[in-house]
Amino acid sequence: MTTTPTLPPAHIALRGDLLDFTAEPGWGVVDSGAVRFRPDHWLLIENGRIQGAQAEEPGDGWERHDHRGRLILPGFIDTHVHMPQLDVIASYGTELLDWLNTYTFPAEIRYADPEHSRMGAALFLDALLANGTTSAVVFATAHKVSADALFAGAQQRGMRVVTGKVLQDRHSPDGLRDDVVQAEQDCLDLIRRWHGRDRLAYAVTVRFAPTSSPEQLAMAGALCASDPTLYMQTHVAENRDEVKWVRELFPEARSYLDVYTRAGLMHKRSVLAHGVWLDDDDRAALRESGAHIAHSPSSNLFLGSGLFDWRAAVQSGSAVSLASDVGGGTSLSMIRTMADAYKVQAMAGQRLTAWKALHAATLGSAQALSLADEIGSFEPGCVADVCVWDWAVDPVGRRRMDVATSLHEKAFAWMTLADDRNLVEAWVAGSMRHRRTAG
Ligand code: GUN
Ligand code: ZN
């Protein structure tokens, strides 16, 4: 169920097991002081913002929702996902470059139609909420109308969304190719109408280096330089054939990532998806610029792209956020994404704690996006984007929870077994925007 916009009741209290983070958990640390777990507490929401938390039941002035025995988390943040790609999720048999040409580009062409864009945006945003994702950094399509539809849909739902019209002026089919002059005008118009409005922000959205001419990359860099509050999003070093192609297209650049550095696209609001095939110099460039990698494990597995070295990123001092990358990824659920992230690290001989994964999907992403004063935790003053989850919904899950002997064991089993069926309610800025219909 997704409700139409309503004014939130002024005082709401949610009872349950509150879990959020006050700092970044260390790699491999299961007994982390960064975890703030407040079992059976009341989370107090005043005028759409977190006011605090307490063990005692608040008084009559509060609209009380008793979810005792349930898990209450900050809404998830998906830092890289494609609105139009619900139409191609779970497509068979290809790696990145074939997948783009065979499935993705044809599907995105259809978003030139405003009605198609409007319906696609509504379906997408409601699906995010149904998975407990209340904030997202999103690719629309090359069409201005698709970004307009996404901004309007997010505004209607009160969600924190960062998006932009995709820039791609070469190596793309008719109907999906823009040109530098028109693209710049479209960006400027979208920025003027949407950037900084309510909970929306504009991202200069370069699809990836192969589909933008050097002139278009320079235009994108100039846009970023014109306003440091703009975000930038793109893909980098996802797939080996793609990396080889970039080397041929940009022989002057030291590396794929260096193409973006040279164009002025690397700054602290830059979100780069994947980064599977980076080297130490790239990771140093990430740290120096303040840009970060949106790790997309489901997509990397599904498209056979490779195993991201999360630990090397941590050691280099650059941030890592977590992303579904639907439709390369196969689920909008950030819980399924966390479970895939664990498996990717396991394949690479590493172990990802539940804390590292949950932090990356909440406070870690908020910090990487310079939005920690608004989203990602239950700090007083943050906007009340809050999700209520069942610890378990079936006999196997319940049994596993019953035998867990530590909080980390329980949280890890939850992250490995749960999905959207565990979501009971999603609140956005203190308004309930999704409620499970059965159970
Ligand atoms: N690289 C360029 N475009 C895309 C896309 O749509 N999805 C993924 N996973 N990688 C890309
Ligand atoms: Zn992507």
Side-chain angles (χ1 to χ4, degrees):
M1 178 196 79
T2 298
T3 52
T4 47
T6 46
L7 282 176
H11 294 88
I12 296 163
L14 304 177
R15 180 182 191 172
D17 300 335
L18 312 183
L19 198 159
D20 69 340
F21 294 87
T22 55
E24 182 173 354
W27 185 265
V29 179
V30 294
D31 284 324
S32 174
V35 182
R36 178 163 56 181
F37 185 58
R38 291 172 285 187
D40 198 14
H41 272 58
W42 291 87
L43 183 67
L44 306 179
I45 299 170
E46 187 179 22
N47 296 321
R49 289 186 182 266
I50 306 292
Q51 195 221 60
Q54 61 188 43
E56 310 76 45
E57 180 166 356
D60 286 344
W62 294 82
E63 181 185 300
R64 283 159 292 184
H65 297 253
D66 191 344
H67 289 295
R68 85 186 77 166
R70 287 179 164 147
L71 172 64
I72 301 186
L73 292 172
F76 288 133
I77 304 164
D78 186 343
T79 57
H80 178 77
V81 58
H82 298 253
M83 179 266 281
Q85 294 183 10
L86 287 181
D87 297 353
V88 297
I89 191 171
S91 291
Y92 174 76
T94 52
E95 286 205 1
L96 175 66
L97 301 176
D98 280 349
W99 176 82
L100 287 171
N101 288 318
T102 309
Y103 301 113
T104 308
F105 289 164
E108 293 194 11
I109 288 170
R110 295 198 286 274
Y111 283 74
D113 172 21
E115 184 52 21
H116 192 79
S117 279
R118 198 193 57 74
M119 281 178 50
L123 174 77
F124 170 76
L125 292 165
D126 288 343
L128 286 185
L129 293 174
N131 280 282
T133 298
T134 52
S135 298
V137 183
V138 189
F139 268 57
T141 67
H143 315 98
K144 188 180 170 188
V145 288
S146 73
D148 262 322
L150 195 51
F151 277 126
Q155 185 183 45
Q156 223 185 357
R157 290 163 181 76
M159 294 169 73
R160 162 50 78 174
V161 165
V162 177
T163 189
K165 164 219 137 42
V166 178
L167 297 168
Q168 52 182 121
D169 69 345
R170 65 170 177 172
H171 301 133
S172 308
D174 292 349
L176 205 57
R177 238 181 9 261
D178 56 12
D179 63 71
V180 179
V181 173
Q182 185 61 48
E184 183 176 30
Q185 280 175 16
D186 289 352
C187 289
L188 289 170
D189 187 50
L190 287 164
I191 291 164
R192 185 180 54 76
R193 289 188 295 114
W194 294 112
H195 183 58
R197 193 160 153 195
D198 298 331
R199 303 185 70 193
L200 309 173
Y202 195 82
V204 174
T205 302
V206 174
R207 176 156 221 133
F208 67 157
T211 48
S212 282
S213 63
E215 296 73 30
Q216 189 173 59
L217 292 175
M219 182 274 281
L223 278 178
C224 290
S226 73
D227 182 350
T229 66
L230 290 172
Y231 287 87
M232 195 290 293
Q233 58 177 342
T234 191
H235 299 88
V236 71
E238 173 178 1
N239 164 289
R240 274 179 281 204
D241 289 342
E242 171 213 18
V243 173
K244 189 164 159 273
W245 192 23
V246 171
R247 207 177 296 131
E248 288 158 16
L249 290 170
F250 298 92
E252 71 286 3
R254 192 202 68 81
S255 68
Y256 190 158
L257 191 108
D258 189 45
V259 173
Y260 297 140
T261 303
R262 285 161 166 260
L265 293 168
M266 295 285 286
H267 49 81
K268 77 180 179 55
R269 291 182 184 234
S270 301
V271 184
L272 295 98
H274 306 297
V276 172
W277 303 103
L278 299 178
D279 62 19
D280 285 345
D281 288 351
D282 292 327
R283 282 186 277 268
L286 275 169
R287 187 195 56 243
E288 276 155 33
S289 63
H292 84 275
I293 294 292
H295 172 38
S296 308
S298 170
S299 172
N300 295 162
L301 292 169
F302 185 73
L303 294 176
S305 301
L307 304 174
F308 172 67
D309 194 340
W310 191 327
R311 192 170 188 204
V314 169
Q315 283 172 339
S316 76
S318 62
V320 176
S321 64
L322 208 48
S324 70
D325 190 32
V326 161
T330 53
S331 171
L332 285 176
S333 167
M334 293 305 291
I335 307 174
R336 307 307 331 123
T337 304
M338 288 184 250
D340 282 343
Y342 178 83
K343 293 170 191 169
V344 165
Q345 294 313 304
M347 283 299 295
Q350 297 290 336
R351 290 293 180 270
L352 183 71
T353 65
W355 304 142
K356 201 83 195 149
L358 277 163
H359 174 265
T362 55
L363 181 62
S365 290
Q367 283 172 336
L369 297 169
S370 305
L371 290 174
D373 57 351
E374 178 190 326
I375 56 175
S377 79
F378 295 143
E379 274 306 302
C382 279
V383 174
D385 294 345
V386 180
C387 290
V388 181
W389 300 91
D390 275 325
W391 281 105
V393 288
D394 65 352
V396 172
R398 273 191 286 275
R399 172 72 183 155
R400 187 65 187 89
M401 292 302 143
D402 284 349
V403 300
T405 57
S406 70
L407 181 61
H408 183 267
E409 186 181 346
K410 193 170 168 178
F412 181 75
W414 180 79
M415 142 189 150
T416 306
L417 299 175
D419 57 31
D420 58 315
R421 289 168 296 182
N422 294 60
L423 183 62
V424 182
E425 289 172 358
W427 296 74
V428 180
S431 288
M432 198 199 295
R433 294 286 174 188
H434 176 85
R435 179 195 280 151
R436 191 170 62 197
T437 43

